[in-house]
Amino acid sequence: MGLLDGLLGNASENDAQEIQQDLAQVLTAGERVEKSYAVLRDLIVFTTKRLILVDKQGVTGKKREYLSIPYRSVERFSMETTGHFDLESELKIWVRGQTEPISKTFRSDQSILDVARALADYAL
């Protein structure tokens, strides 16, 4: 069901050990992946030290952008849940030094609640 959720835009939690291996070259010594969520092709990864947003690009997804955000740099975040006519949820994260928030779109309230709860656990 995880793959189907990801394709539909629902965040599905990934196996932290698998993501740990995938990101081994990006992680610092002693840094561990604690939680990871897939949204479409992208990843939201919570480590012991930072939030990593992985944006898979191109047709194959082989090209990737890694955005590293230390938890201390998260100034605030907000979430907008779905409604009767608006079927998408949105998570916005304001990072110190940037005027515009980072936005991620979800298709499920439960998905965005899980990610927002994890963000609160690590950033607050």
Side-chain angles (χ1 to χ4, degrees), residues 9-67:
N10 299 329
S12 57
E13 191 164 358
N14 293 337
D15 178 40
Q17 294 294 8
E18 183 180 318
I19 300 302
Q20 178 84 27
Q21 292 173 353
D22 289 347
L23 297 179
Q25 294 179 333
V26 178
L27 300 175
T28 64
E31 184 176 16
R32 289 184 337 273
V33 171
E34 295 196 337
K35 290 186 182 244
S36 174
Y37 298 90
V39 181
L40 296 176
R41 297 184 337 164
D42 299 340
L43 294 174
I44 300 171
V45 181
F46 295 92
T47 75
T48 52
K49 298 182 178 190
R50 60 188 161 155
L51 173 65
I52 301 173
L53 303 176
V54 181
D55 179 16
K56 295 181 181 178
Q57 302 172 358
V59 176
T60 62
K62 188 167 176 92
K63 180 178 178 181
R64 297 176 181 193
E65 176 185 8
Y66 298 91
L67 178 60

Side-chain angles (χ1 to χ4, degrees), residues 28-122:
T28 64
E31 184 176 16
R32 289 184 337 273
V33 171
E34 295 196 337
K35 290 186 182 244
S36 174
Y37 298 90
V39 181
L40 296 176
R41 297 184 337 164
D42 299 340
L43 294 174
I44 300 171
V45 181
F46 295 92
T47 75
T48 52
K49 298 182 178 190
R50 60 188 161 155
L51 173 65
I52 301 173
L53 303 176
V54 181
D55 179 16
K56 295 181 181 178
Q57 302 172 358
V59 176
T60 62
K62 188 167 176 92
K63 180 178 178 181
R64 297 176 181 193
E65 176 185 8
Y66 298 91
L67 178 60
S68 175
I69 305 168
Y71 293 124
R72 68 180 179 278
S73 296
V74 175
E75 291 187 337
R76 63 186 186 273
F77 58 93
S78 70
M79 69 174 166
E80 178 183 295
T81 59
T82 60
H84 288 294
F85 299 107
D86 184 10
L87 302 178
E88 294 181 338
S89 302
E90 188 173 28
L91 177 70
K92 292 181 182 177
I93 305 169
W94 282 265
V95 178
R96 185 179 307 128
Q98 293 185 343
T99 56
E100 294 296 317
I102 298 166
S103 294
K104 293 291 179 183
T105 302
F106 300 81
R107 299 252 189 263
S108 157
D109 280 350
Q110 187 58 49
S111 299
I112 195 170
L113 291 170
D114 292 343
V115 174
R117 185 176 304 114
L119 184 57
D121 286 343
Y122 290 100

